Amino acid sequence: MTEQIYALWQGMEQGWALGDGAAFASVFAEDVDFVTVRGEELFGRHAVAAGHSQLFAGPYRDTKLTAEISLIRPLTSDISVVHVTSSIAPAGITTHAQAVVVRREDGWEIAAFHNMIPKGKP
């Protein structure tokens, strides 16, 4: 289970490195609830892909996302809460996220994601 959950964030990092919103969003559930660092609510994988495509075409072009998982807390055998700290270079941005991941027929995916920039951080 742990390796498959880590693979979700590796997929996110790869999509970011490619500047590909659809690849970035591929780890999220089709009906994901996603809260951005600005507090915007995005509903669905398509919205996450579209929003990140805009970021990759603009202010986050040619940046790198590095994610570090600090907690995987199983709630059931098919649901876990995950805490992640991510950094975006060279932008110098650090974010913290809490995610709910679920195991479905075809593997694990992120069903809910709340991302934020900690107080006092750029």
Side-chain angles (χ1 to χ4, degrees), residues 6-40:
Y6 273 94
L8 295 172
W9 273 267
Q10 291 167 346
M12 215 185 289
E13 289 175 341
Q14 291 168 356
W16 191 290
L18 294 170
D20 184 331
F24 173 84
S26 69
V27 300
F28 295 94
E30 190 66 40
D31 62 348
V32 66
D33 293 314
F34 187 109
V35 178
T36 72
V37 295
R38 295 172 304 282
E40 301 160 333

Side-chain angles (χ1 to χ4, degrees), residues 52-108:
H52 282 79
S53 290
Q54 289 178 355
L55 292 174
F56 299 149
Y60 294 107
R61 179 186 306 252
D62 298 325
T63 59
K64 178 180 179 183
L65 176 74
T66 304
E68 184 177 326
I69 294 175
S70 60
L71 172 76
I72 298 175
R73 181 177 167 227
L75 301 177
T76 72
S77 60
D78 295 325
I79 301 171
S80 290
V81 171
V82 181
H83 289 192
V84 181
T85 299
S86 295
S87 58
I88 302 169
I93 296 172
T94 299
T95 67
H96 292 295
Q98 183 177 53
V100 176
V101 297
V102 297
R103 182 181 4 221
R104 305 268 166 92
E105 278 185 23
D106 54 349
W108 288 86

